[in-house]
Amino acid sequence: MRYLLLSDIHSNLEGLYTCLELAAGKYDQAVCLGDLVGYGPNPNEVVDKIRNLCKVVIRGNHDKACCGIDDAAEFNPYARMATDWTHQNLTQHNLDYLRSLPMGPAVMNGFIMVHGSPNDEDEYILGPAQALPLLRGPEAQLVCFGHTHLQGGFTLNSEARFHSVHIPPTPDGLTLTVPLEDGTRYLINPGSVGQPRDRDWRVGFAILDLDRKEVEYYRTPYEVAKTQAKMEKAGLPLPLYRRLELGR
Ligand code: ZN
């Protein structure tokens, strides 16, 4: 079984379609680790697409804020403005869909899906301080997470060796293949489909192949200027569309 792992799409339709084009024919089932909306200009189009495409979808913190489950009090002013804009522009149908999304973890056959971390859907797994206790903990051997918008992840092997997965600055397309070894534990972040923050503006996703026992990381350029122009036209804050071309 090959799973397409999508995360942190953030209403970026160009990013989503570019990822899906590159992933076409390479997976059996698509899943989404949350944050369908927030920041970008196409919340309804993205929700419509993900609802039809993905077998399993869990909610992210921006999904909660944009549909009114959370009050976005912890967001910075720009993110709050985008949250308000998204809330006003979502159809009732899509607001209801976002409200219905389950909280992670979602237990799949052979792995676990979370937005932030298995302990707290809003926690950021940024480095060993957060990753090591999880890798040593009772959770499944393989956890897929998002929320940080940083493609890569963390591993702990049977000899207790900790390793950060770094994506090399390779050409577009398949950037790294990580084999899944028996006895090693994995925290896998597929990267962000709609707003990368690892200083690489190209959008990212991953394919988890449980038969070949490997994770493939992908990175691809997209029509970022088109997304930015839509955001400007919608009146979304300038820093939110500038950051797309900077990848941060
Ligand atoms: Zn996000």
Side-chain angles (χ1 to χ4, degrees):
M1 190 73 166
R2 297 166 302 169
Y3 290 93
L4 170 61
L5 306 176
L6 301 170
S7 192
D8 298 282
I9 303 159
H10 288 292
S11 306
N12 185 335
L13 195 63
E14 288 72 34
L16 177 58
Y17 274 115
T18 303
C19 287
L20 293 180
E21 249 168 56
L22 180 55
K26 298 184 174 77
Y27 66 93
D28 304 302
Q29 197 176 100
V31 297
C32 178
L33 304 174
D35 276 2
L36 288 68
V37 298
Y39 294 125
N42 287 110
N44 287 306
E45 293 82 354
V46 166
V47 171
D48 289 342
K49 184 67 193 171
I50 292 298
R51 182 211 303 263
N52 289 318
L53 175 77
C54 291
K55 180 93 171 167
V56 180
V57 182
I58 54 171
R59 70 187 189 185
N61 53 322
H62 285 260
D63 303 321
K64 283 190 289 180
C66 290
C67 73
I69 292 177
D70 251 14
D71 60 6
E74 288 174 18
F75 286 9
N76 67 50
Y78 298 128
R80 255 203 317 272
M81 284 167 73
T83 299
D84 291 343
W85 181 90
T86 303
H87 184 84
Q88 285 159 17
N89 282 276
L90 278 166
T91 63
Q92 190 59 47
H93 187 52
N94 285 337
L95 280 170
D96 291 342
Y97 172 75
L98 291 175
R99 285 190 191 114
S100 76
L101 288 179
M103 173 170 70
V107 180
M108 307 291 288
N109 198 1
F111 67 106
I112 281 181
M113 289 168 54
V114 300
H115 183 64
S117 105
N119 298 332
D120 177 353
E121 62 178 338
D122 295 332
E123 183 189 0
Y124 290 91
I125 307 177
L126 290 163
Q130 302 86 32
L132 260 175
L134 295 168
L135 289 165
R136 290 182 182 134
E139 282 76 27
Q141 184 179 325
L142 180 51
V143 175
C144 298
F145 71 103
H147 196 34
T148 63
H149 300 209
L150 305 173
Q151 193 179 41
F154 308 94
T155 71
L156 189 71
N157 74 8
S158 54
E159 285 148 16
R161 266 224 183 84
F162 179 79
H163 174 72
S164 295
V165 178
H166 291 294
I167 307 299
T170 45
D172 305 330
L174 177 61
T175 56
L176 182 69
T177 301
V178 172
L180 299 173
E181 287 159 4
D182 288 342
T184 299
R185 299 178 140 234
Y186 295 86
L187 291 167
I188 297 293
N189 189 329
S192 172
V193 171
Q195 193 206 71
R197 294 180 191 163
D198 40 15
R199 296 177 187 272
D200 179 348
W201 67 277
R202 299 174 303 164
V203 287
F205 65 91
I207 290 173
L208 169 62
D209 190 329
L210 292 178
D211 300 323
R212 295 176 64 173
K213 294 193 172 184
E214 61 187 28
V215 180
E216 293 177 335
Y217 292 92
Y218 289 83
R219 220 52 196 253
T220 180
Y222 73 108
E223 286 184 280
V224 62
K226 190 170 170 185
T227 310
Q228 291 175 310
K230 285 194 216 169
M231 290 173 75
E232 186 179 7
K233 199 173 169 204
L236 287 159
L238 172 78
L240 294 186
Y241 55 90
R242 284 303 306 279
R243 71 186 297 178
L244 291 181
E245 75 198 48
L246 304 172
R248 51 187 280 190

